[in-house]
Amino acid sequence: MQKLGVLGGTFDPIHEGHMALAREALRCGGLDGVVFLPMARPAHREAAASAEDRMKMCALALAGNHRFLLSSAGGKAYVQYTADTLLPLKKEFPRAALTLILGADKLATLPYWRDADKLFSQCDFLCFPRPGVSPDAALEKAKSAGARIAMMPEFSTPYSATLIRTQTAQYQDAPGLNKRVLCYMAENGLYQPDLTPRLRSMMSPKRFQHTLGVRKEAVRLAAIHGLPIQKAALAALLHDCAKGMNLKDMSRLAREQHLTESEAVLSSGALLHAPVGAYLAKKEFGIRDEEVLSAIRSHTVGRPGMSLLEMCIFVADATEEGREDYPGLKELRALCGQSLPAAVYRSLELTREYVEETGRTFDPASLDTMNYVEGLLTQKDKRLLADVR
Ligand code: FE
Ligand code: FE
């Protein structure tokens, strides 16, 4: 008979501590697999993320690990107690013997759980130690109440969901997260102040859609290129926050606040919304992170000295999935997964070709950026560029 551990929890979000516990349970409990059981409505606390998001994050974290399974038995609205999950679990895994995995802090109340007798007769228990909890007395009591319990000799983890949520609220990439989970969180703004209602009111629905597309693409690129993922998501979300303002208001604000000296920028909404956007991100959205503000400020024409995070936003703006097709877009999309400097260079080159074909002159600030980025190109970048031209 197959022996499966059952790890119920809020998973808000799932992290490396849960994974390590499941691996340890496999080893100590002689289990064939561990079923992760996210509880949609945890009995004793509110979850910060929705049941759907927590379930999706679990699926992302467990993907590719054939000994870790995911159950939706805790996902029903009526399910609140462990006993309620037993029947659906038995249906889902009819041929398995189930071992419930629980922390030593839960032992003392175990005999008083709802339908405890039924639980004791139908499954085993595997208990992991908790810091500061001495399980001995509770263990004896639970055993004499009829529970079959084995103890895990030791288990500890430096990760906690509470800490991860705090770090995430400050736009840090919290350690202890699976990269796919981290990307999902960033792409959906989980565990962060929700800036979207405000942002939505500042722009057209189409612009808002574009914004979400840029966030998705920026997260993808940041993950590929090892950049801070939450910062990329935040900069992308706010990059066009000034785009809904009219030029007159933007130039007045820009002059008052000395956001730029350039008359060319002051007279063009297409350029001016970038420095004004960085100003609004700081004043209206309370963003203090200079890396994020720079990425917003330089997203239209870049700048000499621009960082990789700035390049990430610059490129994501040009390649997001909702962009209407333009000549060279397909190749640019392929390029940005390989090299951000090469992609920035190519993007500016495409703009220059387009501008010159229509008989206008190329913006001098963009030319400065091109010259700067050209100096960063490696031999490999140059080959990549030659291939797409
Ligand atoms: Fe823009
Ligand atoms: Fe944009």
Side-chain angles (χ1 to χ4, degrees), residues 336-385:
C336 62
Q338 312 234 31
S339 160
L340 287 173
V344 170
Y345 192 81
R346 182 58 186 157
S347 179
L348 287 163
E349 202 171 54
L350 287 169
T351 309
R352 186 174 65 188
E353 282 167 20
Y354 174 75
V355 164
E356 286 172 355
E357 266 168 34
T358 51
R360 292 171 296 157
T361 43
F362 188 51
D363 163 60
S366 302
L367 191 60
D368 289 346
T369 303
M370 264 183 104
N371 290 333
Y372 168 73
V373 177
E374 191 172 18
L376 302 177
L377 299 177
T378 62
Q379 286 307 319
K380 187 184 153 220
D381 289 337
K382 287 175 187 164
R383 276 199 302 279
L384 288 169
L385 280 166

Side-chain angles (χ1 to χ4, degrees), residues 207 210 239-240 243 270 273-274 299-300 317 323:
R207 177 67 46 190
H210 160 71
H239 84 283
D240 272 348
K243 192 83 179 186
H273 77 278
H299 85 266
T300 47
D317 193 20
R323 274 275 176 212

Side-chain angles (χ1 to χ4, degrees), residues 317-337:
D317 193 20
T319 56
E320 60 103 356
E321 63 187 6
R323 274 275 176 212
E324 263 170 56
D325 199 21
Y326 57 84
L329 175 59
K330 195 168 145 255
E331 293 78 7
L332 187 60
R333 281 191 175 133
L335 197 56
C336 62

Side-chain angles (χ1 to χ4, degrees), residues 12-13 48 160-175 177 182 185-186 189-195 230-231 234 285-289 292:
D12 195 16
S160 92
T162 310
L163 181 60
I164 287 173
R165 291 196 300 271
T166 305
Q167 290 163 329
T168 304
Q170 295 159 358
Y171 302 100
Q172 296 166 17
D173 293 354
L177 287 171
L182 174 58
M185 282 164 46
L190 298 189
Y191 309 115
Q192 287 161 349
D194 187 4
L195 307 180
Q230 293 288 4
K231 286 187 188 195
L234 178 61
F285 291 91
I287 307 305
R288 289 283 176 274
D289 190 310
V292 171

